[in-house]
Amino acid sequence: MTDEPPLRRRPTEELPGNAPQHPPSAQPQPAGEGADPTDGGPVPLIAPRDGTPDPVATPAELAEVVARFAAGTGPVALDAERASGYRYSQRAYLVQLRRAGAGTALIDPLPLPDLSALDAVIGEAEWVLHAASQDLPCLAEVGLRPRRLFDTELAARLAGFERVGLAALTEQLLGFTLEKHHSAADWSSRPLPESWLTYAALDVEMLTDLRDALDAELTRQGKSAWAAEEFAALVRTGARPPRVRAEPWRRTSGIHRLRGARAQARVRSMWYARDQIAARRDAAPGRVLPDSAIIAAAELDPKDEKTLLTLPGFGGRSVRRLARTWLAALDDARQLPEDSLPVSPAVEGPPPPHRWAERDPVAAGRLARCREVVIRIAGEHNLPPENLITPDSVRRVAWTPPEEITEASVAETLRGLNAREWQIGLLAPDLTEALTPPTPTST
């Protein structure tokens, strides 16, 4: 545990039942038991140990933070706030850090987009994040890239906890409650309200304590080496931006209702028109025009502004101002020659599982046996099946098994699907048996 001053909590008389105030530490309980480490119930956290710091927004203030964190010791807790649902980009609009001996810093990356000087002094420390894969890409954009990390959400999954949110784990393992009502706020707005800054500071307040509790639980369960492999994989790949889909417009909500390539062309044309506007405005696409409006227009194919504006989703003033843009997109789709209409994309990998029995009954049998293996082994080790192996990997190995099915060839196939060695060690022997054609029974 880190040697830090006690947390500030609500006065005892405000707590239900006059709950005693406990220090920010507790022995982790076996996963799934829902243990409450406090005698009188969890304690609400309302303020950081050192108070809520002002956001760092100038080079001089950043230099002071760099010096403080260089002098700090132990792991560094980090978090980032984005503006998903408000902005087109997934950039960070606030970066939070805490380290023993350095306290908490809130950094505004709008005026300070390059935090590489901070990275230089904390880069060799272990970074503690919750759901690291969500924050690593936007942290990398400002020059922060971990060399070692501990992901408290992933650790909790490996330990078998049913509830793996930060607030749920902090309450269960440490006996403190965190309010999460600002998680979906528009963090791109300025100035940030004091209550939002307090919320942001509290997000890193107990990460290191939580890391220690989860590390102890992983050690107790014999899973520390598994976690180390998972964290190392995150360091290698977590900062990569999400893969760009070849035809992202196909993910428009409600597109399954449309029939015909021409209607799909209308969705495609409107989707890209909206995307260009959203990118230019740095606004979430759904705030420019909701998916439901695109689908409604694709279904009806209105030819004039009056008809367009009667459709659901086209009533807002900002949407109405763009009526000519939407009509032009629909007209573009209307004039496309037949050979330019969308065609069903080539399927990458196995077909949908519900079609296996018809397409290849033998493969369907392999898939069923492989799934049984994964569920059984995951249960034996108190793991979510998807953390033992991804469902896509199970489908791929069942659809296209090695030509010669041996434990070594199955292990190599799993390795090619980015499975970690601990996963391969648990799965390869039994998956080899599941992939082997069953011996015909004599009659």
Side-chain angles (χ1 to χ4, degrees):
M1 294 288 185
T2 56
D3 183 17
E4 294 203 276
L7 290 157
R8 294 173 60 191
R9 293 149 288 213
R10 295 188 188 280
T12 302
E13 63 270 20
E14 294 184 12
L15 298 173
N18 288 338
Q21 299 180 4
H22 292 261
S25 62
Q27 290 299 315
Q29 301 297 317
E33 291 190 5
D36 182 358
T38 61
D39 296 332
V43 180
L45 287 183
I46 60 168
R49 292 175 174 91
D50 313 316
T52 301
D54 293 328
V56 171
T58 69
E61 292 169 342
L62 178 60
E64 189 272 332
V65 167
V66 169
R68 275 200 287 129
F69 276 77
T73 59
V76 180
L78 288 100
D79 190 26
E81 304 295 347
R82 299 181 304 280
S84 302
Y86 295 92
R87 295 292 181 177
Y88 185 85
S89 73
Q90 290 298 309
R91 65 168 299 172
Y93 286 96
L94 190 70
V95 175
Q96 307 102 279
L97 305 95
R98 183 171 182 83
R99 191 179 197 185
T104 297
L106 306 179
I107 301 176
D108 185 347
L110 294 184
L112 299 170
D114 182 4
L115 303 182
S116 55
L118 179 61
D119 181 83
V121 300
I122 64 172
E124 298 307 318
E126 180 186 72
W127 295 13
V128 184
L129 299 97
H130 188 81
S133 60
Q134 297 181 20
D135 289 338
L136 288 177
C138 68
L139 290 174
E141 287 181 0
V142 295
L144 297 173
R145 295 177 176 83
R147 285 65 153 178
R148 292 185 295 135
L149 67 77
F150 188 104
D151 185 333
T152 51
E153 184 197 51
L154 182 51
R157 291 184 183 277
L158 295 176
F161 286 85
E162 292 184 4
R163 300 167 61 215
V164 297
L166 179 60
L169 290 171
T170 301
E171 180 174 332
Q172 182 171 351
L173 289 178
L174 304 178
F176 292 86
T177 59
L178 290 171
E179 295 182 353
K180 301 300 292 180
H181 57 274
H182 293 312
S183 59
D186 180 6
W187 289 90
S188 67
S189 62
R190 292 296 184 272
L192 292 170
E194 181 75 13
S195 62
W196 294 18
L197 297 174
T198 296
Y199 162 92
L202 288 174
D203 262 3
V204 293
E205 184 79 12
M206 303 195 70
L207 267 182
T208 303
D209 289 321
L210 186 59
R211 173 245 181 265
D212 291 341
L214 287 166
D215 185 54
E217 182 64 14
L218 289 170
T219 300
R220 188 188 72 80
Q221 295 186 26
K223 297 176 179 176
S224 294
W226 301 358
E229 284 193 54
E230 293 298 313
F231 300 157
L234 272 175
V235 168
R236 290 193 303 271
T237 64
R240 297 175 185 171
R243 181 173 62 91
V244 178
R245 294 180 177 271
E247 295 183 306
W249 60 271
R250 291 188 181 274
R251 294 176 63 83
T252 305
S253 179
I255 196 172
H256 63 279
R257 303 203 313 263
L258 301 180
R259 295 293 178 267
R262 186 70 63 177
Q264 290 189 345
R266 292 193 284 270
V267 172
R268 180 177 65 183
S269 186
M270 292 196 69
W271 191 97
Y272 281 110
R274 179 186 69 173
D275 194 66
Q276 291 176 359
I277 296 167
R280 186 171 67 247
R281 293 181 177 178
D282 190 17
R287 298 180 75 84
V288 175
L289 186 69
D291 280 7
S292 59
I294 291 179
I295 298 301
E299 286 181 314
L300 187 62
D301 190 21
K303 311 298 191 299
D304 57 74
E305 185 172 329
K306 181 179 179 181
T307 306
L308 175 74
L309 296 182
T310 63
L311 297 179
F314 287 91
R317 184 172 58 182
S318 62
V319 175
R320 291 198 305 270
R321 283 203 300 262
L322 293 167
R324 291 185 179 180
T325 299
W326 311 131
L327 289 170
L330 291 168
D331 188 58
D332 287 345
R334 204 175 295 122
Q335 297 185 35
L336 284 175
E338 291 293 325
D339 59 5
S340 296
L341 295 178
V343 296
S344 297
V347 177
E348 294 183 9
H354 67 271
R355 296 175 56 192
W356 284 37
E358 177 186 349
R359 292 271 302 272
D360 190 337
V362 174
R366 287 195 299 264
L367 179 62
R369 295 192 299 272
C370 288
R371 283 174 164 173
E372 289 175 0
V373 165
V374 171
I375 291 171
R376 174 176 55 80
I377 293 178
E380 290 171 355
H381 293 278
N382 194 27
L383 286 167
E386 63 272 16
N387 286 107
L388 178 58
I389 186 172
T390 65
D392 180 66
S393 294
V394 178
R395 289 192 294 269
R396 288 178 182 273
V397 75
W399 185 254
T400 312
E403 289 188 11
E404 182 182 0
I405 299 174
T406 65
E407 189 172 325
S409 66
V410 171
E412 192 58 33
T413 299
L414 293 175
R415 203 168 283 117
L417 294 169
N418 297 318
R420 261 68 76 188
E421 294 303 315
W422 71 270
Q423 297 168 322
I424 294 169
L426 289 178
L427 288 169
D430 287 2
L431 283 183
T432 301
E433 183 177 344
L435 292 168
T436 302
T439 303
T441 56
S442 57
T443 56

